[in-house]
Amino acid sequence: MHSPAPDPFWGPQTSYLNFCEEDYVLTKYVAEFVNTFSSFVFIIYGLYGLRKLHGNRQATVSRSIPYFGLMGVGVCSAGYHMTLKYHTQMSDELSMHLLTTPLLYRLLTFKASPQRTRLIGSILLVEFAVVMVVHMVMDEFLLHAVTFGLGVYLIATRALKIIPMQISNPSIRKNVRNIALFGCFCFVFGYMVWLIDEWACSQLTNIRHSVGVPLAFLFELHGWWHIFTAIGGYVAVAVVDFITSGEVNNDPTDNLAWPLPLAARFLGAAADSKKGN
C-alpha cells in the first residue's frame, strides 16, 4: 500500500458517495481497484447464464434480458468505482433497477391474464421512470434505496411462493428452494458486510496497512459485498427463469454456476441429517 496517485487519470471525485477503499493507491487509472474488479463477478455470472441459454437453444429475448441486466450492473458498478464520477454513480444505482424490474415483471405476470400483464407492465414502467427522474434530478437517494430493497424483497417472497406451486417433483422442489434460500442468504450476508465496511472503516484501513498487499485485499469488504450480491443476483435470475419457463421437470442444479451445486448439496444433506436426528 502506498500513497494515492497525485494526478488521478479521472480527475477529482464528483460522486457524492465514496467507500472505505482508499483511492488511486495502486494505479492512477483506477480509483478503487478492488471495488472495480470485484464488480466483474456480475458480468461473469451474466455471461455464464447467457451461454447456458444459447447452449440449450432457449435464448429468447424475455429470458435473456435479466442476464443482460446482471451484466449491466457489473459494467456500471465497475465504471463508478473506477472513476468516482457523479454520472457513473447514477448509472450504477439505476442499473440495479434494470435488473430487478424485468424479474418483477416475469414473476408478477406469471400465468396472468393479458389485461393484468399490461397493467403490471405499465405500473413497473412508470415506477422505474419516476425513480430514475427523481433520483437523477433531485439527487434523492432514499427513494432509490427503498424501491430497490422492496423489489428484492418481492422477488424473494414471490419466487419462494411459486416454487412449491410450480414444481411437483419433491427432489427438484427441495433443490430449487435451497438454492433460492442460499441466494437470500448471500444478499443478507453481503449487506451485513457492506454495513461493517461503512461502520468500521478506520479499523479496516489500519488492518490493511498492517498486513500489506495482497492480504489487504481480503479486508476490502465492499468488494465482498459485490461478490455475494452477484451470487444472489445470479440466483434470482436463474430461479425466476426456471420456475416461469415451464421447464420444471429437470433438476437445474448441476447446470448452475459455482457455488450453487455445492450449496444445494450441502443444504440438502444438512436438512436430511436434521430429519434423521
Side-chain angles (χ1 to χ4, degrees):
M1 306 291 287
H2 55 75
S3 301
D7 55 341
F9 179 79
W10 303 102
Q13 172 192 343
T14 57
S15 62
Y16 59 79
L17 289 178
N18 197 345
F19 298 97
C20 188
E21 183 176 359
E22 295 173 272
D23 301 341
Y24 295 106
V25 294
L26 291 180
T27 171
K28 70 176 183 178
Y29 298 103
V30 180
E32 296 176 346
F33 188 86
V34 174
N35 290 349
T36 297
F37 285 93
S38 60
S39 300
F40 291 176
V41 178
F42 290 94
I43 302 174
I44 293 171
Y45 276 120
L47 288 172
Y48 181 91
L50 287 174
R51 177 175 172 271
K52 283 295 181 180
L53 286 180
H54 280 280
N56 296 328
R57 300 181 184 276
Q58 299 168 337
T60 62
V61 173
S62 62
R63 297 183 68 172
S64 300
I65 284 177
Y67 287 109
F68 280 113
L70 193 63
M71 294 168 59
V73 172
V75 171
C76 294
S77 176
Y80 168 37
H81 291 290
M82 181 172 65
T83 64
L84 292 180
K85 293 297 184 180
Y86 174 78
H87 62 279
T88 54
Q89 180 187 341
M90 291 295 104
S91 68
D92 174 38
E93 293 169 351
L94 292 174
S95 70
M96 302 177 190
H97 298 278
L98 290 174
L99 172 60
T100 57
T101 303
L103 294 179
L104 281 172
Y105 177 78
R106 289 193 67 177
L107 286 170
L108 296 177
T109 60
F110 181 58
K111 294 187 176 180
S113 65
Q115 295 83 358
R116 180 179 172 83
T117 297
R118 286 193 293 269
L119 176 62
I120 292 174
S122 299
I123 292 173
L124 290 175
L125 181 62
V126 170
E127 181 264 342
F128 175 78
V130 169
V131 171
M132 180 178 65
V133 171
V134 171
H135 187 50
M136 295 185 67
V137 174
M138 301 177 60
D139 291 340
E140 209 287 324
F141 182 79
L142 183 61
L143 180 63
H144 151 71
V146 170
T147 51
F148 175 71
L150 181 61
V152 172
Y153 173 78
L154 289 174
I155 291 168
T157 55
R158 183 67 176 169
L160 289 171
K161 182 178 180 180
I162 291 177
I163 286 171
M165 297 167 53
Q166 188 69 2
I167 306 175
S168 58
N169 185 297
S171 177
I172 298 176
R173 183 169 63 243
K174 182 183 73 172
N175 283 339
V176 174
R177 185 174 186 274
N178 285 340
I179 289 170
L181 291 174
F182 179 70
C184 294
F185 165 79
C186 288
F187 267 114
V188 173
F189 183 78
Y191 181 63
M192 292 173 60
V193 168
W194 185 88
L195 290 176
I196 295 171
D197 188 64
E198 289 288 302
W199 294 341
C201 182
S202 59
Q203 293 86 343
L204 290 168
T205 301
N206 291 335
I207 292 173
R208 291 196 295 265
H209 287 177
S210 299
V211 301
V213 174
L215 291 179
F217 293 153
L218 298 176
F219 298 92
E220 296 287 0
L221 298 191
H222 193 86
W224 286 108
W225 145 258
H226 286 163
I227 293 171
F228 281 100
T229 306
I231 296 173
Y234 170 70
V235 169
V237 174
V239 168
V240 169
D241 180 65
F242 179 72
I243 62 178
T244 60
S245 65
E247 302 168 357
V248 293
N249 295 320
N250 296 316
D251 195 334
T253 305
D254 290 335
N255 289 323
L256 298 176
W258 187 90
L260 301 189
L262 180 64
R265 286 193 291 269
F266 175 79
L267 292 173
D272 293 340
S273 176
K274 186 176 180 181
K275 288 181 180 178
N277 293 333

